[in-house]
Amino acid sequence: MAIEKEEQDLEADVDFNVSYPQKSTKPSSVKLLSAYLKALRPRQWTKNLVVFAAPLFAFEITTKSLWGGLLAFCLFCAASSSFYLINDIIDVKSDRQHPVKSKRPIASGLVSVPAAIAMAIILLTSALTISWWRDSGLGLAILSYAILQVAYNLRLKRTVILDVVAIAIGFILRACAGAAATGIVLSSWFILCTAMLALFLGIEKRKAELRLSELRGKKSRAVLQRYSLSLLNRMETVATNGTIITYALWSSGPVVRGASTSWMLVTLPFVMYGIFRYQLLSDPQEIARRSTDTELGGQTERPEEVLLNDQPILMTVLTWIATTFGILVLKKYGLIS
């Protein structure tokens, strides 16, 4: 017994005196850089591709228009990311209590609040300064977008109907920015088509949020208290009809002051299929058939996720772009009128 006690004392002394190297918990520079980039939400930047719609719909694909569109795209990415940062800063306490949002860079602590504030100020100030220096119309579009975001976060996102209208206006401002940056005059049918499509996406976003909220038994947004699936379905019908009709009128050509050639009617089936495919993905029965994961039902509240992850829609968009470029080339060389 004495021997055993001496051995235990010796082991205790050894455990007490020996220091073991501690594994560092400090994140690597690569992880930090990735966190700062993730905080900007680059996946949301696909929405800003709307700035290229103006030269594409006007059939003015030139080096000048592409550079102008690229500038507008970068400026809108900077402006939109600044508001994503601001939203995450405001919601940091509630996000830390959320099982998914707690993993966001700011909520998880990988990006500090002071650093996020500095990033937001730099991005928004740079976007406004450069846009006004480049063109007053471009500057006005981004300034209007900034004002819209402030109004949306303070009031509009909690106001029924006006919340989806605000989303639609955001897309219209992107299109106007692309036109201003490239010096292109937008047709009324183009603006109406953009508004209808954006309204459609906004309604689909609310439908997905409402359906997920009903499955979880808790409304994630205050405005969802005023919505019902039957109301959103009726609004969706109006927006869908408006999108298809305005696009069909625009693609009918110069006779209705639309596209520069009526051959754009060839692209109408792609637009219709894309809209119907998006509706299919938001259908509850289709969601249940494809997966038992309720989170999949919220995919249509994130249009960028659908565009990047659904192969048929992605192929439809690429085919539409290729067909439009083909018509543009044929018209340029006088092969079609």
Side-chain angles (χ1 to χ4, degrees):
M1 295 294 294
I3 294 175
E4 290 179 0
K5 185 178 186 305
E6 289 177 0
E7 289 177 347
Q8 291 173 0
D9 292 341
L10 180 60
E11 289 174 356
D13 291 339
V14 172
D15 289 340
F16 180 80
N17 292 322
V18 175
S19 61
Y20 296 95
Q22 298 294 321
K23 186 177 180 180
S24 176
T25 59
K26 185 179 180 180
S28 64
S29 57
V30 175
K31 187 176 182 180
L32 281 175
L33 181 61
S34 176
Y36 276 91
L37 179 62
K38 187 178 179 181
L40 301 179
R41 301 192 197 178
R43 295 179 73 89
Q44 300 277 357
W45 292 348
T46 53
K47 298 176 184 177
N48 300 325
L49 290 173
V50 175
V51 301
F52 291 101
L56 186 59
F57 274 67
F59 277 25
E60 294 187 22
I61 309 299
T62 62
T63 303
K64 179 182 178 181
S65 67
L66 290 177
W67 278 112
L70 182 60
L71 174 62
F73 174 77
C74 293
L75 292 176
F76 253 98
C77 288
S80 59
S81 289
S82 69
F83 283 100
Y84 295 143
L85 289 168
I86 292 171
N87 290 338
D88 286 348
I89 292 169
I90 295 173
D91 299 335
V92 64
K93 290 185 178 180
S94 60
D95 285 352
R96 285 171 179 166
Q97 308 301 321
H98 194 277
V100 177
K101 294 180 180 180
S102 60
K103 298 177 182 179
R104 288 179 176 177
I106 297 176
S108 64
L110 287 174
V111 176
S112 66
V113 171
I117 294 174
M119 290 170 61
I121 293 174
I122 292 172
L123 288 171
L124 185 57
T125 303
S126 300
L128 289 170
T129 303
I130 296 173
S131 62
W132 278 104
W133 171 78
R134 175 66 171 79
D135 182 87
S136 59
L138 178 59
L140 181 61
I142 293 183
L143 176 61
S144 300
Y145 173 80
I147 295 173
L148 176 67
Q149 290 302 307
V150 173
Y152 180 80
N153 286 291
L154 291 179
R155 180 66 181 177
L156 295 181
K157 69 178 182 180
R158 293 182 291 274
T159 306
V160 67
I161 299 177
L162 290 183
D163 59 330
V164 292
V165 172
I167 294 174
I169 293 175
F171 280 95
I172 295 173
L173 290 174
R174 289 176 172 90
C176 291
T182 55
I184 293 173
V185 178
L186 298 176
S187 70
S188 56
W189 292 121
F190 168 78
I191 296 175
L192 283 172
C193 184
T194 302
M196 289 294 104
L197 181 58
L199 190 61
F200 167 78
L201 294 175
I203 293 169
E204 287 293 325
K205 178 181 174 68
R206 287 295 179 263
K207 280 182 62 179
E209 292 174 342
L210 181 59
R211 186 167 50 251
L212 278 176
S213 297
E214 291 180 347
L215 289 173
R216 294 168 178 165
K218 181 180 179 181
K219 299 291 180 67
S220 58
R221 291 178 183 268
V223 74
L224 295 179
Q225 302 287 346
R226 303 289 304 278
Y227 282 116
S228 67
L229 286 178
S230 60
L231 171 63
L232 289 171
N233 284 333
R234 293 195 297 272
M235 293 172 63
E236 178 191 56
T237 300
V238 174
T240 301
N241 292 338
T243 302
I244 294 175
I245 290 172
T246 52
Y247 185 86
L249 287 169
W250 171 83
S251 59
S252 296
V255 67
V256 292
R257 296 184 179 180
S260 58
T261 173
S262 59
W263 278 93
M264 280 303 294
L265 281 169
V266 175
T267 64
L268 179 58
F270 302 133
V271 174
M272 295 178 65
Y273 175 80
I275 291 174
F276 294 152
R277 174 72 184 180
Y278 200 98
Q279 289 179 318
L280 173 66
L281 295 176
S282 67
D283 185 74
Q285 293 184 0
E286 176 66 13
I287 293 169
R289 186 188 68 81
R290 291 163 65 94
S291 175
T292 58
D293 185 7
T294 57
E295 288 295 333
L296 184 62
Q299 190 181 43
T300 50
E301 70 174 286
R302 300 180 294 272
E304 69 283 354
E305 296 290 338
V306 176
L307 177 62
L308 296 174
N309 296 332
D310 186 69
Q311 187 174 1
I313 285 187
L314 181 59
M315 291 302 299
T316 300
V317 172
L318 294 177
T319 304
W320 179 87
I321 293 174
T323 304
T324 302
F325 268 99
I327 294 173
L328 175 62
V329 172
L330 292 174
K331 184 177 183 299
K332 179 179 180 181
Y333 288 99
L335 299 177
I336 58 175
S337 59

